[in-house]
Amino acid sequence: MAKYGGWAGKVLRVDLSTGRMSTDDTVEQYKDYLGGTGIGYKVIWDEVQAGTKPFDPENKIVFGVGPLAGTGAPCNGRTAITTLWPTCWPRPLVASGHMGGHFAAELKYAGYDAIIIEGKADHPVWLSVMDGRTEIKDARQLWGQGIRRSTIEINQQMGPEATVAAIGQAGENLVPMSVVMNSYSHSAGGVGGVMGSKNLKAIGVRGTGSVRIAGNKEEWEKAIKLHLSLLGANNQNVVPNSPQPWAEHYNAGSRWMASAGRRWGASDPNIDTGACEPHNLNRIAYRTNNAAFFLGDKAWQYTVRGNGCTACPIRCHTMLKVPAVAAKYGIPEVGQNTCVGLLFGKAFFKTFPDGPRGQTAIEACMVGMHLADDLGIWENYGQLQRDFQALYYNGIFGRKVAEKEFKSYSWDKYEEGDPTFLFELLPKIANKQGELATALGLGTGYLLERWGIPEQEWLENHELLYWKFGHPKHHSNEDAGQCGVIINTQYNRDAQCHSHSNFTRNGLPLEVQKRLAVELWGAPDAVDGVADFTPMNVYKAKMAKWSLLRKELHDCLSLCNWMGPWVASPLRERDYRGEDSIESLLYSLATGDRKSRQELDQVAERIFLLHRALTIRDMGTKEMRTKHDTIPHWVFADPKDRAAFSKGTIRMDRDDIKLAMDMYYEEMAWDKQTGSPTRETYRRLGLETVADELAKRGLLT
Amino acid sequence: MSGEYQKHQVLEKALNFTNSSHSLSRREFLIMTGGIIVAVSALEARGAKEPPLIIVDQAEGLVIADATQCVGCRRCELACTEFNDGKASPTMARIKIGRNLNFGPKGPYAGLRAQGNWGNGLIIQDLCKQCPHPVPCANACPNDAIVVSPSTGARVVDPNKCTGCKMCQRACPWEMMSFDSDTNKATKCFLCEGNPKCVEACPSGALSYVAWRDLTDKVPPRVVPTAVVSPEKAQTCIDCHKK
Amino acid sequence: MEQEPKICTNILKIIHARSESGQLVRVEEILAELKEQGFLESEDVEQKAHLETTLKQVLKENRDLKAISGKNGIPYYYSAQSLSETYAGILVRKSENPLWLIAEVVRENSQLYPRPVPVDSFLEPPFGLTREEIAECLTTMREQREYQDIARTITSVGTPFLYSTQHLDPDHAFTLAEWLDVGQVNNP
Ligand code: SF4
Ligand code: SF4
Ligand code: SF4
């Protein structure tokens, strides 16, 4: 028997140029990097030269999962896909996309912790991974087809249980703003074109094996039940959306939507979501309804049920059945997705005839999901749609696009909020038809460059929520003041970190949050009330570091950072405490490699540090503070010109943010001047060879 | 566990004496006497060989499912094998979601009539019916390895007897026999001694453990079973039904 | 009274059952139910007093049982096993005076979390007020001195929220309302 549980034990390597396939031993080669993005960064560091472009055959794609994927640990469904990022502007750098669904688990059951894709096939292919048997198959008959049809055809070959991660026409056409998608609605953005550049249409995975739990099975069962008991609704919102008999607290902003009278109206017969008392673990799946959260009460009547990833009881992908769309738009009645994926179609429009929460908005969502999730277009966390609105309403399309092309779009329909407009726009983006659609498909940074628009304009516009490098902010100062700002400076795409926002949005009274903050980060001052921020302090820096490390840890273990960490809970008898050690508990039991919370956080820090080193290497500068960790101007402005720290504003203060970065670098033991990690830090975290390599290039402080 | 099964068979043999002197069919007899466990054997009198095991009594409970409540999370499959066997293995789970998850029981050729995540959303949970006599999986087993659990009446695999021949897999019309590739033994739903882990694990309350009811004529079979029943067993059936 | 333990159990049962169905219960209601069950033969004042003492005893012995009184001092009983203090508070105020209900809910939210409350949330259970009732309350509030702290703010998509000026500045209240109504959805 293998020494460790949790890991499947092997990493699959496929060179599409030569057709060569091989395997690496996961534990031997990658245990110090856990899995997921850890394996991804390691492979890119070791094997992909600085200066490689995303669509070069020399770029690699790493589909990585972790030791908890495929187990019963709640929320373990996410696959991390690491590669050089095609929308990262002006210079592509390493980044990762994350898809839920059933791919991660199926990959483990097939015997693999990761798949590394190398090279480029000379004709379209797809990869069939059936337990230990991998084959490169001809995909010429699939090329040109959408994700749905491709998936079904592959399932017809591999059997109904296989999970297929496929790209659509967007990925085939090397549109940078494209996704890979599995299990109908679970996508990872940015990766589609990279797969397309390798002529890789899809990966089908089917596994009949198992993931061994190394620890005692009774203890594992207890740990799972503990974890389940701490869950809230989606985003770890731990209080219900409206007063419930059992609840001390409630919050109209909570995704815990269940309540007596709110029904899954399109289930046959329909189902009342009810009170969902938190100790009743057989009701967790009714708590969340993201369609109702995002689209308003009308969505209840169309709700079939919740859907989501393997082993996750939250079900954030709400399945909707809207009969009217079949006749009106000729699309299926049933659709599903979550958050920005759900809002894909709606978000293009400024207004709808019946308002933002009416029927038309829902129909726009249905049309958007139907098109985008088949063509495989990425929305870059809503930046595509925000850009679109700004470019249209500021007259930029009119100026940059030839008149004939511009006039070929039904702008009257667009302005009216008519969802049929999406049938004109989205296929053109996927097929690179015309200047307007082609530019949109590049991503913000390259679009601005192509059209000669200074990035500055985007950096100053608060409404665009643009941050840097072609990507938007993702839970920044609006959610967590300086802590959010720090987090948003650290990645090469939007930060995708929810550790902090899942805490600040949990719905508990500020007083309770502060009490929990004392235990977690050392002082109540780590957290502020929304739009009532206080000057920087070291506890906020500690919270930022913790948030980043947990995000990276989740991406390596295969836990969902859209749910975790679980440091607050809905349980009054615990004073709403969660469990800061749940990750290490699950990791230790699953693998048999006992690690304390601190030890596991240190592994996460190593992985995060490797991401930093990769960024430094590929940027060719150690001046990270000024060249990488940048902050858009809108963070320091306020529409009503209120001063920073006054009530009602999320405006930050420049000097205070300087201090914030100082404190953060200090917490990370990085050089304050440059924002680059020191040799000592690399050494402490077991990355001395990485430091050597950087030193050779003159990139070590 | 196997000790208990053996005790069981002593009881079965003890009950066999009624076989020769009573005009009631074995099954009727059991209903009348409230008997729990029985195997009938025509060969017993000859005494040379172990009599073939034929389960006649009914299970006490079974797990039933509401498909409209299923959210396709597969926690039931994982609870089944993690908490019972210490590994996450949906293929081996004794409740089966994965095969219907994407397209429903008709699979990826169902086209517009598809169920599951790619169709109308309905997810059919496949569960063991704890079949009444004649129990297809048990009858097909050449080693009489599928026996009755004393605690729940569930039809369970006795790993000490199972040789891993998979005859049982071909006998179940609902494809509910599983196989543990680590031990090379068959396994099936044993109702977790009356506390089914899957029921406890379901986050939408879609599963319930209830008093046994006959679902064999209500749930359409997935396959046409192709198992062979040994001549001895067949003879036993003939002998008994003749009466 | 050899019936004593039986009565105690029944009182406990009555309160638990009410709480489980999301309701509070008053002494009279308990007595009426006991009477139906045959524990109270007449309107005998002495017997009634005795029963009230028994009730007090039951409350003391069962830590989960709580009393909450409204403005007029009449106590309501519930079990904390199934009803929270927050929910019980809403029920008491609702049964007495919707005006007071709205004001207290708005004040509590503004102070504790802090956040403003969407006006429409009062349409839903457990508040269950009608649009007309809410509108009427809000008009009346404007005229009564004790409710002068209750203010209104409207988000960019036109959703009205209420907050208490005792606890929130208008600017802060607006930003928070916008955050709840638009911000969180646009920043998922
Ligand atoms: S495994 Fe199949 S044949 Fe055996 S009892 Fe269960 S449903 Fe019946
Ligand atoms: S595999 Fe099935 S038929 Fe074969 S011995 Fe085991 S239980 Fe009996
Ligand atoms: S645990 Fe429940 S909801 Fe999840 S797959 Fe099983 S039956 Fe369906």
Side-chain angles (χ1 to χ4, degrees):
Chain A
M1 204 190 288
K3 183 165 174 217
Y4 295 106
W7 287 288
K10 282 191 196 132
V11 170
L12 174 67
R13 229 174 234 281
V14 179
D15 184 341
L16 293 174
S17 301
T18 61
R20 212 181 86 87
M21 289 179 237
S22 59
T23 56
D24 301 338
D25 186 298
T26 313
V27 171
E28 249 169 51
Q29 292 206 28
Y30 299 110
K31 181 168 167 286
D32 291 348
Y33 302 89
L34 300 175
T37 52
I39 299 182
Y41 301 151
K42 177 79 175 132
V43 167
I44 307 277
W45 174 266
D46 287 345
E47 306 173 20
V48 179
Q49 301 248 320
T52 307
K53 298 270 178 291
F55 296 161
D56 290 348
E58 291 76 25
N59 184 19
K60 302 195 179 186
I61 316 175
V62 184
F63 289 77
V65 304
L68 295 179
T71 71
C75 316
N76 74 56
R78 296 186 79 88
T79 305
I81 307 171
T82 311
T83 192
L84 295 178
W85 214 248
T87 52
C88 179
W89 176 87
R91 181 190 305 97
L93 297 167
V94 70
S96 60
H98 305 259
M99 62 180 182
H102 297 279
F103 189 88
E106 204 63 33
L107 187 61
K108 291 288 287 288
Y109 305 144
Y112 298 109
D113 299 296
I115 303 180
I116 305 170
I117 304 288
E118 310 174 338
K120 176 186 177 176
D122 58 12
H123 65 273
V125 297
W126 66 277
L127 194 66
S128 163
V129 181
M130 275 246 197
D131 286 322
R133 206 174 69 244
T134 305
E135 284 173 86
I136 298 173
K137 303 236 188 189
D138 193 339
R140 276 176 284 215
Q141 81 287 4
L142 298 177
W143 209 253
Q145 298 190 8
I147 290 170
R148 304 249 159 80
R149 194 165 281 278
S150 306
T151 301
I152 291 171
E153 285 202 31
I154 290 174
N155 272 116
Q156 287 176 346
Q157 291 187 49
M158 295 185 73
E161 291 104 328
T163 303
V164 180
I167 61 171
Q169 292 88 340
E172 291 175 4
N173 294 323
L174 312 191
V175 173
M177 290 282 282
S178 58
V179 301
V180 59
M181 168 103 50
N182 84 85
S183 304
Y184 202 88
S185 55
H186 297 268
S187 63
V191 190
V194 186
M195 281 178 72
S197 74
K198 298 189 174 312
N199 268 325
L200 180 61
K201 177 70 181 175
I203 303 179
V205 184
R206 169 70 183 129
T208 58
S210 53
V211 179
R212 187 171 69 87
I213 305 301
N216 173 288
K217 64 187 185 211
E218 283 80 27
E219 271 181 61
W220 177 252
E221 185 171 355
K222 266 195 238 152
I224 297 278
K225 284 180 182 161
L226 167 66
H227 194 181
L228 287 170
S229 78
L230 303 175
L231 296 183
N234 184 224
N235 282 179
Q236 191 58 5
N237 289 171
V238 298
V239 311
N241 175 278
S242 60
Q244 297 299 318
W246 54 269
E248 188 185 15
H249 300 295
Y250 57 94
N251 171 19
S254 172
R255 297 187 185 193
W256 187 315
M257 299 296 290
S259 186
R262 292 180 175 173
R263 309 176 77 85
W264 289 358
S267 169
D268 186 15
N270 66 33
I271 295 171
D272 195 290
T273 55
C276 290
E277 202 279 329
H279 296 90
N280 186 348
L281 302 183
N282 300 116
R283 303 286 307 173
I284 303 178
Y286 298 106
R287 293 177 188 171
T288 302
N289 181 335
N290 272 352
F293 176 78
F294 285 107
L295 304 174
D297 283 345
K298 220 176 166 45
W300 284 106
Q301 75 189 79
Y302 298 130
T303 301
V304 179
R305 62 172 168 93
N307 199 14
C309 311
T310 317
C312 181
I314 299 298
R315 316 324 275 162
C316 70
H317 283 227
T318 310
M319 187 180 273
L320 295 173
K321 182 180 178 182
V322 186
V325 300
K328 216 159 160 184
Y329 308 98
I331 64 170
E333 296 176 345
V334 183
Q336 55 183 306
N337 212 310
T338 186
C339 297
V340 282
L342 175 69
L343 300 173
F344 195 106
K346 175 185 185 230
F348 280 98
F349 300 94
K350 204 166 212 158
T351 53
F352 291 101
D354 46 353
R357 283 172 201 159
Q359 174 73 16
T360 318
I362 292 179
E363 290 174 6
C365 290
M366 295 297 288
V367 174
M369 289 188 285
H370 170 74
L371 290 170
D373 294 354
D374 194 41
L375 296 162
I377 306 172
W378 186 34
E379 84 303 300
N380 192 11
Y381 192 61
Q383 195 63 40
L384 172 67
Q385 291 87 341
R386 284 189 296 272
D387 288 352
F388 187 88
Q389 286 197 20
L391 293 165
Y392 176 74
Y393 285 103
N394 298 338
I396 301 175
F397 282 147
R399 290 199 296 276
K400 301 291 172 187
V401 175
E403 195 184 339
K404 186 164 169 238
E405 180 188 335
F406 182 76
K407 285 202 171 139
S408 71
Y409 285 94
S410 313
W411 296 109
D412 49 339
K413 279 191 188 172
Y414 171 64
E415 287 190 18
E416 281 161 19
D418 178 346
T420 58
F421 177 77
L422 299 169
F423 288 98
E424 296 180 24
L425 178 67
L426 300 184
K428 290 202 179 85
I429 296 179
N431 293 311
K432 284 183 166 167
Q433 285 165 331
E435 175 60 21
L436 185 148
T438 305
L440 284 171
L442 294 175
T444 309
Y446 295 96
L447 176 146
L448 295 178
E449 187 181 297
R450 181 178 175 115
W451 286 354
I453 303 165
E455 190 199 18
Q456 191 74 6
E457 284 181 26
W458 254 239
L459 290 167
E460 280 168 6
N461 187 333
H462 193 163
E463 280 175 12
L464 285 168
L465 307 181
Y466 175 79
W467 195 276
K468 64 164 181 176
F469 286 15
H471 294 273
K473 63 111 221 160
H474 200 142
H475 303 308
S476 174
N477 45 324
E478 79 287 1
D479 266 290
Q482 298 94 335
C483 173
V485 171
I486 295 168
I487 288 166
N488 273 269
T489 61
Q490 293 299 291
Y491 285 95
N492 302 320
R493 55 168 290 188
D494 57 311
Q496 303 181 92
C497 179
H498 301 79
S499 312
H500 56 315
S501 55
N502 287 351
F503 184 83
T504 57
R505 286 191 193 187
N506 63 22
L508 292 167
L510 183 57
E511 204 183 296
V512 177
Q513 292 185 335
K514 283 183 172 287
R515 207 175 58 225
L516 296 176
V518 175
E519 295 168 15
L520 294 164
W521 307 297
D525 305 344
V527 289
D528 292 323
V530 176
D532 185 13
F533 295 110
T534 61
M536 184 62 190
N537 61 58
V538 70
Y539 307 102
K540 295 184 182 185
K542 286 184 196 296
M543 182 180 173
K545 177 179 179 182
W546 173 91
S547 300
L548 287 160
L549 298 192
R550 286 302 164 91
K551 179 228 180 264
E552 213 57 70
L553 180 64
H554 294 164
D555 292 346
C556 295
L557 294 177
S558 291
L559 284 176
C560 177
N561 189 259
W562 279 250
M563 274 301 295
W566 292 268
V567 290
S569 78
L571 304 180
R572 193 178 182 177
E573 70 272 22
R574 291 177 65 105
D575 290 323
Y576 301 104
R577 249 183 228 100
E579 179 51 67
D580 198 18
S581 302
I582 198 78
E583 293 94 337
S584 53
L585 176 67
L586 293 169
Y587 169 84
S588 300
L589 282 170
T591 61
D593 175 33
R594 292 195 75 85
K595 278 201 165 46
S596 66
R597 168 167 57 82
Q598 293 86 345
E599 286 167 333
L600 198 60
D601 279 345
Q602 205 172 52
V603 180
E605 191 172 353
R606 173 189 306 135
I607 294 160
F608 184 63
L609 192 67
L610 186 57
H611 174 271
R612 188 74 167 177
L614 251 176
T615 304
I616 292 171
R617 186 194 75 178
D618 290 3
M619 283 182 74
T621 175
K622 57 189 174 189
E623 298 302 326
M624 295 297 278
R625 183 168 187 152
T626 48
K627 299 221 162 75
H628 182 275
D629 300 346
T630 55
I631 297 158
H633 307 294
W634 59 260
V635 170
F636 305 110
D638 180 85
K640 299 184 192 166
D641 207 31
R642 287 165 294 199
F645 310 127
S646 57
K647 285 191 177 186
T649 184
I650 61 164
R651 178 184 196 166
M652 296 279 115
D653 175 83
R654 279 191 194 274
D655 288 335
D656 181 73
I657 288 291
K658 270 198 197 105
L659 177 66
M661 295 309 291
D662 280 349
M663 285 179 166
Y664 167 69
Y665 297 136
E666 220 155 279
E667 278 303 313
M668 300 299 291
W670 296 354
D671 174 50
K672 270 201 276 188
Q673 203 79 36
T674 57
S676 279
T678 61
R679 176 174 284 279
E680 172 50 28
T681 300
Y682 285 115
R683 200 197 51 73
R684 176 174 59 86
L685 293 164
L687 293 181
E688 187 127 46
T689 55
V690 169
D692 292 342
E693 178 65 31
L694 289 176
K696 254 196 271 166
R697 296 161 186 257
L699 296 172
L700 190 69
T701 38
Chain B
M1 268 205 334
S2 73
E4 280 168 355
Y5 297 146
Q6 276 155 19
K7 255 192 265 159
H8 232 56
Q9 279 150 18
V10 174
L11 183 58
E12 285 156 13
K13 283 179 189 163
L15 281 167
N16 269 347
F17 83 96
T18 55
N19 196 27
S20 51
S21 60
H22 216 285
S23 60
L24 289 175
S25 79
R26 171 63 40 173
R27 193 162 184 183
E28 283 160 330
F29 169 78
L30 277 165
I31 292 163
M32 285 180 67
T33 56
I36 338 160
I37 306 114
V38 163
V40 205
S41 172
L43 300 174
E44 155 122 275
R46 286 169 234 161
K49 245 171 115 190
E50 275 268 309
L53 172 67
I54 292 178
I55 299 170
V56 185
D57 66 312
Q58 287 168 359
E60 283 166 34
L62 90 167
V63 179
I64 58 165
D66 179 342
T68 63
Q69 284 181 288
C70 180
V71 294
C73 67
R74 312 181 73 177
R75 291 203 65 80
C76 48
E77 292 180 326
L78 292 162
C80 174
T81 62
E82 280 190 346
F83 303 159
N84 284 311
D85 311 278
K87 58 185 173 184
S89 183
T91 301
M92 185 187 143
R94 296 91 172 170
I95 173 169
K96 299 197 179 291
I97 306 296
R99 63 194 187 192
N100 297 338
L101 186 71
N102 286 328
F103 306 100
K106 292 206 174 77
Y109 291 93
L112 288 174
R113 286 180 310 282
Q115 295 177 322
N117 286 341
W118 288 75
N120 65 2
L122 196 70
I123 297 196
I124 309 290
Q125 308 97 325
D126 284 341
L127 289 142
C128 171
K129 316 285 173 282
Q130 307 297 348
C131 292
H133 172 80
V135 182
C137 57
N139 275 4
C141 177
N143 300 305
D144 289 350
I146 296 181
V147 297
V148 170
S149 154
S151 58
T152 58
R155 290 77 175 90
V156 299
V157 177
D158 178 349
N160 293 323
K161 290 185 175 173
C162 174
T163 59
C165 69
K166 298 192 179 176
M167 291 300 288
C168 52
Q169 281 192 332
R170 294 166 55 184
C172 174
W174 297 276
E175 296 188 288
M176 286 314 300
M177 288 302 306
S178 298
F179 200 73
D180 184 340
S181 49
D182 291 327
T183 60
N184 248 338
K185 308 269 180 190
T187 181
K188 70 173 291 304
C189 177
F190 56 97
L191 297 176
C192 300
E193 312 305 335
N195 261 317
K197 302 283 186 192
C198 55
V199 174
E200 198 185 1
C202 178
S204 63
L207 305 173
S208 318
Y209 181 53
V210 297
W212 186 84
R213 59 183 80 160
D214 193 353
L215 295 179
T216 56
D217 54 354
K218 298 180 184 72
V219 180
R222 279 179 67 92
V223 289
V224 180
T226 56
V228 205
V229 176
S230 70
E232 288 90 344
K233 269 195 197 177
Q235 187 53 49
T236 312
C237 298
I238 292 164
D239 289 351
C240 193
H241 283 274
K242 235 176 9 206
K243 290 188 187 115
Chain C
M1 275 229 183
E2 72 281 2
Q3 278 197 329
E4 196 84 11
K6 186 98 204 282
I7 295 185
C8 290
T9 328
N10 281 33
I11 292 177
L12 193 62
K13 270 195 196 150
I14 293 169
I15 302 179
H16 276 165
R18 282 292 185 112
S19 295
E20 272 158 31
S21 67
Q23 289 170 302
L24 305 171
V25 60
R26 281 177 295 135
V27 185
E28 291 79 61
E29 293 170 314
I30 298 177
L31 292 179
E33 262 193 58
L34 285 176
K35 196 173 155 195
E36 238 168 67
Q37 292 167 7
F39 288 101
L40 194 72
E41 290 105 35
S42 60
E43 291 297 316
D44 183 334
V45 181
E46 207 176 297
Q47 212 182 354
K48 194 175 163 192
H50 179 76
L51 277 170
E52 279 178 14
T53 327
T54 315
L55 173 64
K56 286 218 180 86
Q57 191 62 30
V58 173
L59 288 175
K60 223 199 260 152
E61 282 166 9
N62 296 279
R63 302 289 299 275
D64 69 303
L65 299 191
K66 308 267 177 218
I68 181 169
S69 27
K71 269 195 163 168
N72 48 25
I74 300 171
Y76 295 79
Y77 300 97
Y78 68 98
S79 160
Q81 277 168 13
S82 32
L83 287 191
S84 71
E85 213 179 307
T86 313
Y87 201 81
I90 292 172
L91 294 181
V92 169
R93 292 169 193 145
K94 184 185 160 188
S95 70
E96 293 191 0
N97 178 357
L99 215 63
W100 182 46
L101 168 71
I102 294 177
E104 282 305 301
V105 164
V106 168
R107 283 173 191 144
E108 268 172 20
N109 274 271
S110 301
Q111 180 179 22
L112 188 60
Y113 298 110
R115 49 187 168 242
V117 180
V119 173
D120 280 0
S121 66
F122 293 105
L123 292 166
E124 281 188 63
F127 306 110
L129 302 176
T130 63
R131 259 188 212 292
E132 295 68 38
E133 281 172 317
I134 297 172
E136 202 183 301
C137 283
L138 296 182
T139 320
T140 321
M141 270 183 186
R142 253 174 260 144
E143 286 147 19
Q144 294 193 6
R145 264 194 60 194
E146 51 177 317
Y147 298 121
Q148 287 311 300
D149 63 312
I150 305 299
R152 186 209 262 275
T153 184
I154 294 177
T155 67
S156 62
V157 293
T159 315
F161 278 71
L162 298 175
Y163 66 99
S164 161
T165 53
Q166 282 168 17
H167 307 292
L168 284 174
D169 299 345
D171 228 24
H172 194 198
F174 171 77
T175 308
L176 291 172
E178 186 73 7
W179 176 239
L180 286 171
D181 195 36
V182 188
Q184 291 197 19
V185 171
N186 286 350
N187 297 272

